[in-house]
Structures are given as C-alpha cells and as structure tokens.
Amino acid sequence: MSSFVFFFIPTLIFLGLVLPLWLALYYASKWRTSKGLSEEEKQTLDAAMVEIQRLESRIETLETILDAEQPDWHTKNSAE
C-alpha cells in the first residue's frame, strides 16, 4: 500500500498542478512568438509599399499633366 501511495500522490499532483500550468505557459509562448509577421510577409509588405509609392507618384504626375492641359478637369469629374 505504501508504494501505491508513494507513486499515486506525486502523479496526482503532477497531473493536477504542474501539467496544466506547463501546457498553458507553453502555448502562451507559442502564441506570442507567432503573433508577428514572418520574414516572407514582411518582404511582401515592403514590396507592396514600394509599388504603392510608385503608383502614387504616377498619379501625381498624371494630375499635374491634366492640370496643365485642362485646368478645370477636376471640377468636371467631381460634379458627376
């Protein structure tokens, strides 16, 4: 009987206290590390930002050309 109690009580304490805490901390740390962007996602985002800046510059250039050729183009299009 004493050997049964000798193994049963530590096993019960481990399963009741240590294991749940261990699992909770393990998955909390996994969640924290996966919360950010991966390197591939960061590179894709940087490439998209460069493309957006290029397109914004192109739109500004086109608007400048339209302003020079037809000064009232913006008021015509905004009234429609």
Side-chain angles (χ1 to χ4, degrees), residues 54-67:
R54 188 182 70 78
L55 291 172
E56 283 179 344
S57 172
R58 190 171 178 171
I59 288 172
E60 288 173 8
T61 303
L62 289 172
E63 286 178 347
T64 304
I65 292 170
L66 280 172
D67 285 337

Side-chain angles (χ1 to χ4, degrees), residues 1-75:
M1 177 77 172
S2 66
S3 65
F4 177 71
V5 172
F6 180 72
F7 288 112
F8 182 70
I9 291 177
T11 304
L12 200 63
I13 291 172
F14 180 78
L15 291 175
L17 297 175
V18 176
L19 187 64
L21 183 62
W22 188 0
L23 289 173
L25 292 175
Y26 173 75
Y27 284 111
S29 68
K30 282 286 197 183
W31 176 71
R32 262 186 261 125
T33 58
S34 69
K35 206 160 91 170
L37 295 175
S38 69
E39 279 301 315
E40 183 180 340
E41 291 170 332
K42 287 179 184 178
Q43 290 174 354
T44 304
L45 186 60
D46 288 340
M49 290 300 293
V50 167
E51 186 68 20
I52 287 170
Q53 290 172 348
R54 188 182 70 78
L55 291 172
E56 283 179 344
S57 172
R58 190 171 178 171
I59 288 172
E60 288 173 8
T61 303
L62 289 172
E63 286 178 347
T64 304
I65 292 170
L66 280 172
D67 285 337
E69 291 182 4
Q70 278 191 326
D72 59 343
W73 72 270
H74 192 48
T75 56

